[in-house]
Amino acid sequence: MFSLPQMLGNVSKAYVQSPEDWAQSVTDVLRDAAIYHHAANGFYRAQCEALGVDPATIKDINDLQSLPLLPVGMFKRPDAKVLLTCSLADVETETRSSGTRGVPSVIPRNSETMTLALVALLGTYRTFFSLSGGAGLFLNPSDPEASEMGLLKDLNILNSVFDHHAYLVADQAFDAGEALEHLRRWEGHMTRHIVSPPFLIDRLLRFLERENITVRLDPFSMIITLGGWKRHTAEAIPNESFRERCHDLLGVRAVNVRDMYGMIESNMLAVECHLHRKHVPPWCYISIRDPGQSAKEIAPGETGTIAVLDALSTSYPGFLLTDDMGDVETGTCGCGRTGQVINFRRRGQGGGLGHCPVSIERYLGSGTAANNETPALVKA
């Protein structure tokens, strides 16, 4: 079994624990996280008390479904600071969602959460992609252009493993011809990789088709995508067809075209192995909920609302009810990794604020918040 520091210190081994050790490890780290937030966060403690839940009594993985969930829509509210476990003064950065549904989510993270998330991301990338050197072509804005867009930060962290990289979205414009020039310039000098939201990869592929150009990248080149199609759903194509087009027009092997699934509100990032199965990190747990009864976990294999339990967050409770729909599988993957594999199906309708046992209005009006002082706790 692995503690959280042990998981982050050896990410590769944490992904290949025995199924029994994985179940106990993820239970232990999430129980510890829930105990921390229960003690230090009055709002989350109120949720637990409303449901009669004491995080300290969690013993096995089935008990995790009893933990209260915070709907991600809460992060869109102007009074969302009530969700904080840390103090406002400890918030290091605020990241924002794309706001495709109107109001963007604003996610505060303190320095401890940022450090844990960065270590986890780099370890995960190294484990799944084995990247070291080469050139990365990023078909997305650089941090100075989109410093608050969280999912882009996840992509941009990849630039630390490359010898050279370039960003090709500037002033919200993408030039496929310029992308082609970079790929040609690096040819023969270093292995070329492309990192991008899938809709921009698709635009590059359409450009190559229209101009009747075929590019052959390198034997170990990778295409790494994150973010879905969102506003570009009319352009979306099935994953298998997308991989085939990447092979036909860029010469990248299908096993090296990898997608990832994540969300701005959580530190969880599920990365595809070479079998195109998205692995949930061993410090997170996915619970699939009945869309009509969010407190009810549904049977394995059934599609429902995705809930994410994340042990990395110390700035706010990382136990979130998302708007996304999907299902989860548990066991040992053909790639040798154990734990959960998530299958994202579609975006949900949102509007899950009513699923919180104690509303923000009720909590703020109770007088409890004014009398609550956040203890000075250090999360182990």
Side-chain angles (χ1 to χ4, degrees):
M1 291 178 288
F2 282 62
S3 66
L4 185 57
Q6 288 172 328
M7 289 180 184
L8 298 179
N10 198 330
V11 174
S12 294
K13 284 191 176 180
Y15 271 99
V16 294
Q17 301 174 79
S18 71
E20 296 75 21
D21 284 351
W22 163 79
Q24 194 57 59
S25 293
V26 73
T27 300
D28 290 348
V29 298
L30 287 168
R31 179 189 60 236
D32 291 347
I35 290 171
Y36 174 75
H37 291 290
H38 180 271
N41 185 318
F43 182 70
Y44 193 69
R45 184 164 57 251
Q47 310 307 312
C48 292
E49 291 172 351
L51 296 177
V53 174
D54 179 359
T57 64
I58 290 174
K59 290 183 171 59
D60 63 49
I61 199 164
N62 294 316
D63 296 335
L64 293 175
Q65 64 183 293
S66 67
L67 289 172
L69 302 172
L70 304 180
V72 294
M74 283 186 158
F75 290 94
K76 300 180 184 294
R77 296 178 51 129
D79 51 7
K81 65 182 181 181
V82 75
L83 305 177
L84 283 173
T85 301
C86 68
S87 70
L88 276 173
D90 288 335
V91 172
E92 177 179 310
T93 184
E94 289 184 337
T95 50
R96 286 168 166 76
S97 66
S98 59
T100 51
R101 291 176 181 167
V103 180
S105 294
V106 180
I107 315 301
R109 288 181 171 89
N110 59 1
S111 60
E112 184 177 11
T113 301
M114 289 296 297
T115 298
L116 293 172
L118 287 169
V119 171
L121 272 177
L122 284 172
T124 299
Y125 289 154
R126 290 280 298 154
T127 295
F128 281 86
F129 304 143
S130 300
L131 290 172
S132 182
L137 186 65
F138 289 78
L139 310 187
N140 57 267
S142 63
D143 280 339
E145 279 218 358
S147 60
E148 297 174 331
M149 294 179 66
L151 288 184
L152 287 184
K153 279 185 175 292
D154 288 350
L155 286 179
N156 292 344
I157 287 167
L158 271 166
N159 68 28
S160 64
V161 305
F162 297 127
D163 293 325
H164 190 36
H165 64 270
Y167 290 96
L168 292 190
V169 173
D171 298 324
Q172 301 182 343
F174 167 63
D175 185 341
E178 185 182 358
L180 181 61
E181 288 177 13
H182 276 279
L183 294 175
R184 286 173 169 166
R185 189 178 306 129
W186 290 330
E187 185 176 4
H189 299 287
M190 54 190 89
T191 300
R192 296 162 291 174
H193 308 280
I194 303 177
V195 182
S196 172
F199 73 92
L200 285 174
I201 296 279
D202 186 58
R203 290 188 185 177
L204 174 60
L205 297 176
R206 292 185 187 203
F207 168 80
L208 295 175
E209 263 184 335
R210 187 174 65 249
E211 301 297 323
N212 196 27
I213 298 171
T214 299
V215 177
R216 312 311 294 176
L217 297 185
D218 310 292
F220 298 103
S221 290
M222 300 197 75
I223 292 177
I224 300 169
T225 62
L226 173 66
W229 298 80
K230 294 191 176 180
R231 294 187 181 96
H232 310 275
T233 52
E235 304 172 18
I237 58 177
N239 292 335
E240 187 172 350
S241 298
F242 180 77
R243 292 191 289 266
E244 288 177 358
R245 283 170 55 76
C246 289
H247 177 264
D248 293 342
L249 293 165
L250 290 167
V252 177
R253 296 185 301 157
V255 294
N256 282 349
V257 181
R258 309 283 189 86
D259 189 33
M260 304 185 288
Y261 169 74
M263 63 201 69
I264 178 65
E265 296 86 358
S266 176
N267 302 297
M268 193 280 299
L269 188 66
V271 179
E272 278 187 354
C273 65
H274 71 280
L275 299 176
H276 304 295
R277 290 162 58 82
K278 293 182 175 70
H279 289 262
V280 178
W283 46 84
C284 295
Y285 180 74
I286 299 295
S287 176
I288 304 298
R289 301 303 177 98
D290 185 325
Q293 304 177 62
S294 64
K296 180 182 177 183
E297 190 173 66
I298 61 179
E302 292 187 13
T303 298
T305 304
I306 297 171
V308 180
L309 283 67
D310 165 29
L312 299 186
S313 178
T314 63
S315 49
Y316 56 85
F319 313 114
L320 307 175
L321 182 67
T322 79
D323 296 332
D324 293 345
M325 304 294 290
D327 59 81
V328 72
E329 304 168 47
T330 303
T332 302
C333 178
C335 73
R337 297 181 178 92
T338 53
Q340 292 180 304
V341 170
I342 187 170
N343 301 302
F344 168 76
R345 300 302 181 188
R346 62 184 183 276
R347 301 291 175 188
Q349 298 301 312
L353 293 177
H355 295 303
C356 210
V358 179
S359 68
I360 290 180
E361 289 83 1
R362 179 181 165 194
Y363 176 72
L364 291 176
S366 68
T368 306
N371 298 322
N372 182 68
E373 292 186 4
T374 302
L377 294 181
V378 176
K379 186 167 178 281

